[in-house]
Amino acid sequence: MIIVLKPDFSESQLQHICEKVQEMGFKYEISRGLKRTLVGVIGEEDRLRNAPLRAIPGVEDVMSILKPFKLASREFKAEDSVFDLGRGVKVGGGNLMLIAGPCAIEGEEILLEIGKAVRAAGANVLRGGAFKPRTSPYSFQGMGEEGLKILRRVGDELKMPVVTEVMDPRQVELVAKYTDIFQIGARNMQNFNLLAEVGKVKQPVLLKRGMSASVEDLLMSAEYILASGNPRVILCERGIRSFDKSTRNLLDLAIIPNAKGLTHLPIIADPSHATGRPDLIPAMSYASIAAGADGVHIEVHSCPEKAMSDGPQALLPPQYAEVVKKMHQLAEVMGKTIPQAV
Amino acid sequence: MIIVLKPDFSESQLQHICEKVQEMGFKYEISRGLKRTLVGVIGEEDRLRNAPLRAIPGVEDVMSILKPFKLASREFKAEDSVFDLGRGVKVGGGNLMLIAGPCAIEGEEILLEIGKAVRAAGANVLRGGAFKPRTSPYSFQGMGEEGLKILRRVGDELKMPVVTEVMDPRQVELVAKYTDIFQIGARNMQNFNLLAEVGKVKQPVLLKRGMSASVEDLLMSAEYILASGNPRVILCERGIRSFDKSTRNLLDLAIIPNAKGLTHLPIIADPSHATGRPDLIPAMSYASIAAGADGVHIEVHSCPEKAMSDGPQALLPPQYAEVVKKMHQLAEVMGKTIPQAV
Amino acid sequence: MIIVLKPDFSESQLQHICEKVQEMGFKYEISRGLKRTLVGVIGEEDRLRNAPLRAIPGVEDVMSILKPFKLASREFKAEDSVFDLGRGVKVGGGNLMLIAGPCAIEGEEILLEIGKAVRAAGANVLRGGAFKPRTSPYSFQGMGEEGLKILRRVGDELKMPVVTEVMDPRQVELVAKYTDIFQIGARNMQNFNLLAEVGKVKQPVLLKRGMSASVEDLLMSAEYILASGNPRVILCERGIRSFDKSTRNLLDLAIIPNAKGLTHLPIIADPSHATGRPDLIPAMSYASIAAGADGVHIEVHSCPEKAMSDGPQALLPPQYAEVVKKMHQLAEVMGKTIPQAV
Amino acid sequence: MIIVLKPDFSESQLQHICEKVQEMGFKYEISRGLKRTLVGVIGEEDRLRNAPLRAIPGVEDVMSILKPFKLASREFKAEDSVFDLGRGVKVGGGNLMLIAGPCAIEGEEILLEIGKAVRAAGANVLRGGAFKPRTSPYSFQGMGEEGLKILRRVGDELKMPVVTEVMDPRQVELVAKYTDIFQIGARNMQNFNLLAEVGKVKQPVLLKRGMSASVEDLLMSAEYILASGNPRVILCERGIRSFDKSTRNLLDLAIIPNAKGLTHLPIIADPSHATGRPDLIPAMSYASIAAGADGVHIEVHSCPEKAMSDGPQALLPPQYAEVVKKMHQLAEVMGKTIPQAV
């Protein structure tokens, strides 16, 4: 940490700062510039980060020079993490996961129909929500455990790993009985107790970026899961809030190479929730692959007019098939592989 | 709902839309303008909101003309809600609540010292965190139940109602044993299961606005609590994310008159978390009162240099006393009263 | 336009509204729903847009159903516009323009060196700033006319069309003597008098999106240029302001397919200014092509350590050559062509 | 400036950095921490700011510890600047300017009517736009010089200083003949050539904050005017872009105490443009005064139904009179004076 002194600091303030820093158990180093004097503070980094240096009289600013995440960092693990998702599907290190399926599970027949279609198109993970975070208490909240059972049966029948959202620490044990991959939604990215809970399961966790989370915030939330014992976190960019209301959210694709520089964890993109507009999903799926994403998450519904939740933002199966076809071509240019579920 | 047709819609698409709307059980009305044709859809509003109208071919846009919240709305209840917080303190309808205290409970002695100081200055609710949502898993996470017991004892000794945060649906029962007011933090504003859980307790709930929540999102989260059976929700503006990093967040005071037009629920401001800068807290506290807030939440610590959490953003007790003095004068101009805890 | 009445409107207010609407010369149509009553207003659209309907008593909201741009719209011109930039280079309709060069023109020798390198790599338009918009009055402001002359000579020698920024309506005539393409910077996107002025020249105009401009704002600024007589506007996404300070701005690639749905004008991306980080430029260049951009603008400098302006965000010539190579492969997948300047 | 080295930097990179820094004419100081090594660079600050340090191999980050503005800074001038606006009206140092009037000048009779009303209510500066920056080329663009003449005559008749917007460097001389105060609109805050031009006039300049400008950006734009020779700049907060579309913009009142800590220049607030909603203007005007603003800018129109531009956001004269009455009471509490034009 670097303490920047106010331009009009007094020597007694400087002395007080140095004493405080020593009291807290750190070493320091004074550096006098033409316009500003600095105190470099050296010590064990977690303790440093929490030290209330900014409150000491005479201090103008305190600047951190270290990242607050560790287990998630490239410095901790230099090579890309690769996770096995089941059925021969991998993500990371050049392997792309293509998640597809309806927003909510609405019944076995319809899920099976959609699942068959996306599998045929080339998706390698099936999605479907059993517990739905809805902004209105009066909207459809999901089928619950009944939905989880349907998802499991359809995944088994189609030989596809499945992913579903968990919203409550009390549901983790239940969801763990049925899913291959846990999803933490954007609204729960900083639900720290839920993060700690999925840190205890054996399945990989798909962690969606919060609507106003920085890349550092996202990695800190991943750190919670890693620090709780689960090393298999897959990050997901799903759009942030913006002033332009012509799209539902704003897909921030630069976070993909940005995160890849900071962490070894895979990161995928979700153009469905990011744009909320089927007409923009194909282009943004292609852009995600070209940006280096480790996968793409797309909502597909065979009959959006009837979907109980988020229907309008889903692609139809034939549209999805077109998109996957071009994603394959782009993946090849980018030197990536899309594993097939077996 | 109003369906806007694409400029090049066909008559058969229009007919299909009208059939679909009827199938869903709604009435409709066609309106042909010079440039656009509209279909007004009339029916029971919750079902309308969830109807996948946008997915029907030929539809360009679907515009809602009704607000999605009900129990929280001024249309449901025209006059301001006034809640009794205990010890003679009220909020709403001209009564201001002044919450003060440390970010985290660090021990009984220090909480008592701070509590005495803020009570003497004029605060009428004591705050202190026992469960702390921290972005880093390596930061101090709060004292837990031990902290709750300390808060209860100090509140009783000082004859002040107390408020503390709950982060997990599993903690609600525990926290309910000790607190007078529940706080839901910004990061949990859309933790819908937690909202439903505090909807079942008898204490009022202080609901903080999420970092990128619109006024409508905030009211929908309040609606969850109201719909679960707890009518006593106090809204709190605590700053949203912004591009200007010179303050921690951006205090959006216009949400105060804005929300007051839409809802009967009280709304207070939290300049401590909004600015993260003690030098800006006094001015923003005054502005909050003048904007019509039903209270102000300020962190106070007798020794910020030692605070375990968020210390640098706290005021010292003498600074707080100054701020309360001027808030009293402004409250008088605004025709408001600051009840004293007894 | 649709007028939404307040829930508690009176019949005399409704009558007053209808009279006012008629007075303004519009027709109307009343539509009574279960919860809200609407008045559809029909008339000539520009006059409608400026009519102060919202100020009439009893009005809750006024909703527009038409886009405010015309000449720029797909409804006005359905097929993609294709512009000839000189030297056989085209943009739009499947032709990609690759702009490269230094941020600022610093001298003839260095510009020639960079120009040769980017031409060899495959760039088809050379850039260089002679008038620089700098946030500080104490920063290097550009070489002015001397710089324009250098740019012209280097463009001629290398047989490449050139683009340079104009900041002031008084400079348009001067810049027109030297440049093939005008650039309007992000900070001047709503400098309406400057837009009107470049609407009178014969060269194409590269219009950069403002830092907090919506897609509609961008198209309205293009409309100014088109309405002033210059039909050749090339839009450019260069990043918007965001809360995440790990990149300089936030590249919003969804604006590319979004704009393409609304307008016939070409749109390119500028990952250099959007990210401000050379390590992210390659990935974001690839993503731009895959998103459907009609070109990519990249700053290249042969010696970033010495660049007088924005040096750190430039690629080195060999890095640029790598990026172009992969952009060619991606363009092929996307069915696009990168013309060579001849 | 502080250079932070990459964790895996080599000693030869460090040596190269030190050589480069010396070559550029600066001194340096190496500081080795447990995890990171730093190089402090000491030298003349403008040159430092423009030095391309970030491009040198081995450099991870470059952190600035000095503010980029000078003439505008509190360090340059510690006490508040107070400007005489004519007719006995002052702003700054405890004097509040109350600007009122219509958005656009529409005719002499109507301006006189509004002017009389706002003067009687207590406004001390009259506003009116003759050149209007409109997002659509098809909207009313203002009366031009004819409007300026009307404004001058009405100001003289009512004995009030007047303020009007200038949008183009070519108009500065013309506008200077008629106005007492220049206004630079939000969209032109970084129109640097326009700033330089109003830096040469003798009248004070009301500089509005851009829609996504940080406090530092605003002060840098003020610096352009100051550096061009005009010391009389009045800053104005008028709302920034936000994701919540229930208000036109988002009024950021914390910028008032924030700016006051950094600069000696006065700063006022404009709740009309910030909210775009007459129902929110009173509360936000009161909040502005309580936040420490040096004045409030409010649009007033005697007949908003007929206003040609921005009518719906204007207050009616009797509403304005109410607001001024309470602003007087609040100003008294805040120890401020509202001078009367004489």
Side-chain angles (χ1 to χ4, degrees):
Chain A
M1 307 298 263
I2 297 166
I3 298 175
V4 183
L5 298 200
K6 290 187 175 163
D8 56 353
F9 78 95
S10 68
E11 288 299 318
S12 70
Q13 282 178 326
L14 174 57
Q15 201 182 324
H16 175 71
I17 289 165
C18 296
E19 283 165 18
K20 281 285 161 190
V21 164
Q22 271 188 315
E23 242 175 57
M24 294 171 191
F26 306 125
K27 284 197 270 187
Y28 64 89
E29 211 172 80
I30 298 170
S31 159
R32 292 174 194 262
L34 289 187
K35 296 256 180 160
R36 282 291 190 284
T37 290
L38 311 179
V39 179
V41 184
I42 302 161
E44 198 258 306
E45 93 188 71
D46 286 325
R47 288 187 46 246
L48 259 179
R49 199 172 303 282
N50 290 314
L53 302 170
R54 204 179 290 257
I56 311 178
V59 172
E60 179 176 279
D61 205 358
V62 175
M63 298 190 297
S64 173
I65 55 167
L66 287 171
K67 303 293 178 202
F69 44 90
K70 289 180 213 178
L71 303 175
S73 75
R74 280 270 180 210
E75 294 175 32
F76 179 77
K77 179 165 180 295
E79 70 281 12
D80 282 3
S81 283
V82 183
F83 305 138
D84 214 315
L85 305 171
R87 304 280 181 188
V89 183
K90 286 176 185 180
V91 66
N95 300 286
L96 305 188
M97 77 193 280
L98 298 189
I99 305 177
C103 182
I105 299 162
E106 298 157 16
E108 185 149 359
E109 202 181 345
I110 182 76
L111 184 63
L112 188 59
E113 180 189 324
I114 298 169
K116 274 182 186 164
V118 299
R119 194 193 204 292
N124 53 25
V125 176
L126 180 67
R127 66 150 285 129
F131 296 105
K132 300 297 308 167
R134 303 302 302 273
T135 46
S136 168
Y138 311 118
S139 296
F140 172 61
Q141 310 272 326
M143 291 182 73
E145 185 169 8
E146 186 49 33
L148 294 173
K149 286 178 180 168
I150 291 172
L151 180 64
R152 183 69 273 156
R153 284 196 299 264
V154 173
D156 287 347
E157 181 165 346
L158 298 176
K159 297 190 171 41
M160 291 176 85
V162 300
V163 59
T164 199
E165 178 163 358
V166 65
M167 291 170 59
D168 188 322
R170 296 169 301 184
Q171 297 162 348
V172 172
E173 207 181 316
L174 175 71
V175 175
K177 291 201 287 181
Y178 300 102
T179 198
D180 298 303
I181 307 167
F182 277 88
Q183 179 184 309
I184 300 287
R187 290 178 183 80
N188 282 312
M189 192 201 83
Q190 294 193 319
N191 184 337
F192 300 120
N193 291 29
L194 180 59
L195 298 179
E197 217 58 47
V198 296
K200 296 173 196 156
V201 303
K202 62 180 200 309
Q203 290 100 324
V205 178
L206 181 67
L207 176 65
K208 292 197 147 190
R209 181 187 187 185
M211 271 177 278
S212 56
S214 65
V215 63
E216 193 173 300
D217 292 336
L218 176 60
L219 290 173
M220 286 311 293
S221 287
E223 188 81 14
Y224 258 91
I225 302 173
L226 299 176
S228 300
N230 187 344
R232 299 201 290 165
V233 176
I234 303 156
L235 308 171
C236 181
E237 160 61 21
R238 48 77 73 204
I240 55 173
R241 280 249 155 147
S242 149
F243 54 83
D244 191 340
K245 294 303 174 193
S246 64
T247 53
R248 184 161 157 174
N249 291 290
L250 191 154
L251 186 66
D252 170 19
L253 284 180
I255 201 177
I256 289 170
N258 193 355
K260 285 197 163 295
L262 298 168
T263 186
H264 52 87
L265 298 171
I267 178 164
I268 72 167
D270 172 357
S272 296
H273 287 88
T275 65
R277 283 177 46 184
D279 59 323
L280 306 182
I281 293 172
M284 299 323 289
S285 300
Y286 309 149
S288 300
I289 300 290
D294 296 298
V296 178
H297 172 290
I298 296 178
E299 285 189 7
V300 178
H301 201 288
S302 49
C303 181
E305 286 184 28
K306 285 202 183 122
M308 288 175 186
S309 159
D310 279 353
Q313 80 190 19
L315 291 189
L316 291 167
Q319 295 173 313
Y320 182 67
E322 285 280 308
V323 170
V324 175
K325 211 168 135 188
K326 192 159 276 186
M327 288 200 290
H328 264 285
Q329 294 176 275
L330 293 164
E332 205 185 315
V333 173
M334 302 307 295
K336 303 283 181 73
T337 305
I338 304 177
Q340 210 185 330
V342 287
Chain B
M1 308 298 262
I2 297 167
I3 298 177
V4 184
L5 298 200
K6 290 189 177 162
D8 56 353
F9 78 95
S10 69
E11 287 300 318
S12 69
Q13 282 179 326
L14 175 57
Q15 201 182 324
H16 175 71
I17 290 166
C18 296
E19 283 165 19
K20 281 284 162 193
V21 163
Q22 271 189 315
E23 241 175 58
M24 294 174 191
F26 306 125
K27 285 198 268 188
Y28 66 88
E29 212 173 82
I30 298 170
S31 159
R32 290 175 195 263
L34 290 186
K35 296 253 181 164
R36 282 288 192 283
T37 290
L38 311 178
V39 179
V41 185
I42 302 162
E44 199 257 307
E45 90 189 75
D46 284 328
R47 288 187 45 246
L48 260 179
R49 200 174 302 285
N50 289 315
L53 302 170
R54 203 180 291 257
I56 311 177
V59 172
E60 180 175 279
D61 205 358
V62 175
M63 298 191 295
S64 174
I65 55 167
L66 287 170
K67 302 293 180 203
F69 44 89
K70 289 181 213 179
L71 303 174
S73 76
R74 280 271 180 209
E75 294 174 33
F76 179 79
K77 180 165 182 292
E79 70 280 13
D80 282 4
S81 283
V82 183
F83 306 137
D84 214 315
L85 305 171
R87 303 282 181 188
V89 182
K90 285 175 186 180
V91 67
N95 300 286
L96 306 187
M97 77 194 279
L98 297 189
I99 305 175
C103 182
I105 300 161
E106 298 157 17
E108 185 148 359
E109 201 180 347
I110 181 77
L111 184 64
L112 188 60
E113 180 189 322
I114 297 170
K116 274 182 187 164
V118 299
R119 195 193 203 294
N124 52 25
V125 177
L126 179 67
R127 67 149 285 131
F131 296 104
K132 300 297 307 166
R134 303 301 303 273
T135 46
S136 168
Y138 311 117
S139 295
F140 172 60
Q141 310 271 329
M143 291 181 74
E145 185 169 6
E146 185 51 31
L148 293 173
K149 287 179 180 169
I150 291 172
L151 181 64
R152 184 68 274 157
R153 283 197 299 266
V154 172
D156 287 346
E157 179 165 346
L158 297 176
K159 298 189 171 40
M160 292 176 86
V162 300
V163 58
T164 199
E165 178 162 358
V166 65
M167 291 171 58
D168 188 321
R170 297 169 299 185
Q171 296 162 348
V172 171
E173 205 181 317
L174 175 71
V175 175
K177 291 201 288 183
Y178 300 103
T179 198
D180 298 303
I181 307 166
F182 276 88
Q183 179 185 307
I184 300 287
R187 289 179 183 78
N188 282 312
M189 192 201 83
Q190 294 193 319
N191 184 337
F192 300 120
N193 291 30
L194 180 59
L195 298 179
E197 216 58 48
V198 295
K200 297 174 196 157
V201 302
K202 60 180 202 306
Q203 291 100 325
V205 178
L206 180 68
L207 177 65
K208 293 195 147 192
R209 180 187 187 184
M211 271 177 279
S212 57
S214 66
V215 64
E216 193 174 299
D217 293 335
L218 176 59
L219 290 173
M220 285 311 294
S221 286
E223 188 81 13
Y224 257 91
I225 302 173
L226 300 176
S228 299
N230 187 344
R232 299 201 290 164
V233 176
I234 303 155
L235 308 170
C236 181
E237 159 62 22
R238 48 76 75 202
I240 54 173
R241 280 249 156 148
S242 149
F243 55 81
D244 191 340
K245 294 302 176 193
S246 65
T247 53
R248 184 161 156 174
N249 291 290
L250 191 153
L251 186 66
D252 170 17
L253 285 179
I255 201 178
I256 289 170
N258 193 355
K260 284 196 163 296
L262 298 168
T263 186
H264 51 88
L265 298 171
I267 178 165
I268 71 167
D270 172 357
S272 295
H273 287 89
T275 65
R277 283 176 46 184
D279 59 324
L280 305 182
I281 292 172
M284 298 324 289
S285 300
Y286 308 150
S288 300
I289 300 290
D294 295 298
V296 177
H297 172 290
I298 296 177
E299 285 189 8
V300 178
H301 201 288
S302 49
C303 181
E305 286 184 29
K306 282 198 185 127
M308 287 174 187
S309 159
D310 279 352
Q313 81 190 20
L315 292 189
L316 292 167
Q319 295 173 314
Y320 182 67
E322 287 278 310
V323 170
V324 175
K325 212 169 136 187
K326 189 160 279 187
M327 288 200 291
H328 263 285
Q329 294 175 276
L330 292 165
E332 206 186 314
V333 172
M334 302 307 296
K336 304 284 181 72
T337 306
I338 304 176
Q340 210 185 329
V342 287
Chain C
M1 307 297 263
I2 296 166
I3 298 176
V4 183
L5 299 199
K6 290 188 175 162
D8 56 353
F9 78 96
S10 69
E11 286 300 318
S12 69
Q13 282 179 325
L14 174 56
Q15 201 182 322
H16 175 72
I17 289 166
C18 295
E19 284 165 19
K20 282 283 162 193
V21 164
Q22 271 189 314
E23 242 175 59
M24 294 173 192
F26 305 125
K27 285 198 268 188
Y28 66 88
E29 213 173 81
I30 299 169
S31 160
R32 291 174 194 262
L34 289 186
K35 296 254 180 162
R36 282 289 192 282
T37 289
L38 311 180
V39 180
V41 185
I42 302 162
E44 198 257 306
E45 91 188 75
D46 284 327
R47 289 187 45 246
L48 260 179
R49 199 174 302 284
N50 289 315
L53 303 170
R54 204 180 290 258
I56 311 178
V59 173
E60 180 176 279
D61 204 357
V62 175
M63 298 190 296
S64 174
I65 55 167
L66 287 170
K67 302 292 179 202
F69 44 89
K70 289 179 214 181
L71 303 175
S73 74
R74 280 272 181 209
E75 294 175 32
F76 179 77
K77 180 167 182 291
E79 69 281 14
D80 282 3
S81 283
V82 182
F83 305 138
D84 214 315
L85 305 171
R87 303 281 181 188
V89 183
K90 286 177 183 176
V91 67
N95 300 286
L96 305 187
M97 77 194 279
L98 299 189
I99 305 175
C103 181
I105 300 162
E106 298 156 16
E108 185 149 357
E109 200 180 347
I110 181 78
L111 184 64
L112 188 60
E113 179 188 325
I114 297 169
K116 273 183 188 163
V118 299
R119 195 193 203 294
N124 52 26
V125 176
L126 179 67
R127 66 150 286 131
F131 297 105
K132 301 298 308 167
R134 303 301 303 274
T135 45
S136 167
Y138 312 119
S139 295
F140 172 60
Q141 310 271 326
M143 290 182 75
E145 186 170 6
E146 185 50 32
L148 294 173
K149 287 179 181 168
I150 290 172
L151 180 64
R152 183 69 273 157
R153 284 197 298 265
V154 172
D156 287 346
E157 180 164 345
L158 298 176
K159 299 190 171 36
M160 292 177 84
V162 300
V163 58
T164 199
E165 178 162 357
V166 64
M167 291 171 59
D168 188 321
R170 297 170 299 184
Q171 297 162 348
V172 171
E173 206 181 315
L174 175 71
V175 175
K177 291 201 287 182
Y178 300 103
T179 198
D180 298 303
I181 307 166
F182 277 89
Q183 178 185 308
I184 300 287
R187 290 178 183 79
N188 282 313
M189 192 201 82
Q190 294 193 320
N191 184 337
F192 300 120
N193 292 30
L194 179 60
L195 298 179
E197 216 58 48
V198 295
K200 296 174 197 158
V201 302
K202 61 178 202 307
Q203 291 100 325
V205 178
L206 181 67
L207 176 65
K208 292 195 147 191
R209 180 187 188 184
M211 271 178 278
S212 56
S214 66
V215 64
E216 192 174 300
D217 293 336
L218 175 60
L219 290 174
M220 285 310 294
S221 286
E223 188 80 13
Y224 258 89
I225 301 173
L226 299 177
S228 299
N230 187 344
R232 300 201 289 164
V233 176
I234 303 156
L235 308 170
C236 181
E237 159 62 21
R238 48 75 75 203
I240 54 173
R241 280 250 155 147
S242 150
F243 54 82
D244 190 340
K245 295 303 176 192
S246 65
T247 53
R248 185 161 153 174
N249 291 290
L250 190 154
L251 186 67
D252 170 19
L253 284 179
I255 202 178
I256 289 170
N258 193 356
K260 284 195 164 295
L262 299 167
T263 186
H264 51 88
L265 298 171
I267 178 164
I268 71 167
D270 172 357
S272 295
H273 286 89
T275 65
R277 282 177 46 184
D279 58 325
L280 306 182
I281 292 171
M284 299 323 288
S285 301
Y286 307 149
S288 300
I289 300 290
D294 295 297
V296 178
H297 172 289
I298 297 178
E299 285 190 7
V300 177
H301 202 288
S302 49
C303 180
E305 286 183 29
K306 282 198 184 127
M308 287 174 186
S309 160
D310 279 352
Q313 80 191 18
L315 292 189
L316 292 166
Q319 295 173 315
Y320 183 66
E322 286 278 311
V323 170
V324 175
K325 211 169 136 188
K326 189 160 280 187
M327 288 199 291
H328 264 286
Q329 294 175 275
L330 293 165
E332 205 186 315
V333 173
M334 302 307 295
K336 304 282 180 75
T337 305
I338 304 177
Q340 210 184 330
V342 287
Chain D
M1 308 297 264
I2 298 166
I3 297 176
V4 183
L5 298 201
K6 291 189 174 160
D8 56 353
F9 77 96
S10 69
E11 286 301 316
S12 69
Q13 283 179 325
L14 174 57
Q15 201 182 323
H16 175 71
I17 289 166
C18 296
E19 282 165 17
K20 280 285 162 191
V21 164
Q22 270 188 316
E23 243 175 58
M24 296 173 190
F26 306 125
K27 285 198 269 187
Y28 65 88
E29 213 173 80
I30 298 170
S31 159
R32 292 175 194 261
L34 289 187
K35 296 256 180 160
R36 281 291 190 284
T37 290
L38 311 179
V39 180
V41 184
I42 301 160
E44 199 259 307
E45 93 189 71
D46 284 325
R47 289 187 44 245
L48 259 180
R49 199 172 302 282
N50 290 315
L53 302 169
R54 204 180 289 257
I56 311 177
V59 171
E60 179 175 280
D61 205 357
V62 176
M63 298 189 296
S64 173
I65 54 168
L66 286 170
K67 302 293 179 201
F69 44 90
K70 290 179 211 178
L71 303 174
S73 74
R74 280 272 180 210
E75 294 175 32
F76 178 79
K77 179 165 180 294
E79 70 281 12
D80 281 3
S81 282
V82 183
F83 305 139
D84 213 316
L85 305 171
R87 304 280 180 188
V89 183
K90 286 177 185 178
V91 66
N95 301 285
L96 304 188
M97 77 194 280
L98 299 189
I99 305 177
C103 181
I105 299 162
E106 298 157 18
E108 184 148 0
E109 203 181 345
I110 182 77
L111 184 63
L112 188 59
E113 181 189 322
I114 298 169
K116 274 182 187 163
V118 299
R119 194 193 205 293
N124 53 25
V125 176
L126 180 67
R127 67 150 285 131
F131 296 105
K132 300 297 308 168
R134 303 301 301 275
T135 46
S136 168
Y138 311 117
S139 295
F140 172 61
Q141 310 272 327
M143 292 181 74
E145 184 168 9
E146 186 49 32
L148 293 174
K149 286 179 180 169
I150 291 173
L151 181 64
R152 182 69 273 154
R153 284 197 298 266
V154 172
D156 286 347
E157 181 165 343
L158 297 177
K159 297 191 170 45
M160 292 177 86
V162 300
V163 59
T164 199
E165 178 162 357
V166 65
M167 290 170 60
D168 189 320
R170 297 169 300 185
Q171 297 162 347
V172 172
E173 207 181 315
L174 176 70
V175 175
K177 291 201 288 183
Y178 299 103
T179 198
D180 298 303
I181 307 166
F182 277 89
Q183 179 185 309
I184 301 287
R187 290 178 183 80
N188 282 313
M189 192 200 84
Q190 294 193 320
N191 184 338
F192 300 120
N193 291 29
L194 180 59
L195 298 179
E197 216 58 47
V198 296
K200 296 173 196 159
V201 302
K202 60 178 203 310
Q203 290 101 324
V205 178
L206 180 67
L207 176 65
K208 292 196 147 190
R209 181 187 187 184
M211 271 178 279
S212 56
S214 66
V215 63
E216 193 174 298
D217 292 335
L218 176 59
L219 290 173
M220 285 311 293
S221 287
E223 188 82 13
Y224 258 90
I225 302 174
L226 300 177
S228 300
N230 187 344
R232 299 201 290 165
V233 176
I234 303 156
L235 308 170
C236 181
E237 160 61 21
R238 49 77 74 205
I240 54 173
R241 281 250 154 147
S242 148
F243 55 81
D244 190 341
K245 294 302 175 194
S246 65
T247 53
R248 184 161 156 174
N249 291 290
L250 191 154
L251 186 66
D252 170 19
L253 284 179
I255 201 178
I256 290 171
N258 193 356
K260 284 196 164 296
L262 298 168
T263 185
H264 52 88
L265 298 171
I267 178 164
I268 73 167
D270 172 356
S272 296
H273 287 88
T275 65
R277 284 177 46 184
D279 58 324
L280 305 182
I281 293 171
M284 299 323 288
S285 300
Y286 308 149
S288 300
I289 300 290
D294 296 298
V296 177
H297 172 289
I298 297 178
E299 285 190 7
V300 178
H301 201 288
S302 49
C303 180
E305 286 184 28
K306 285 202 185 122
M308 288 175 186
S309 160
D310 279 352
Q313 79 190 20
L315 292 189
L316 291 166
Q319 295 173 314
Y320 183 67
E322 285 280 309
V323 170
V324 175
K325 211 168 136 189
K326 191 160 278 186
M327 287 200 292
H328 263 285
Q329 294 175 276
L330 293 165
E332 205 186 315
V333 172
M334 301 308 294
K336 303 283 181 73
T337 304
I338 304 177
Q340 210 186 329
V342 288

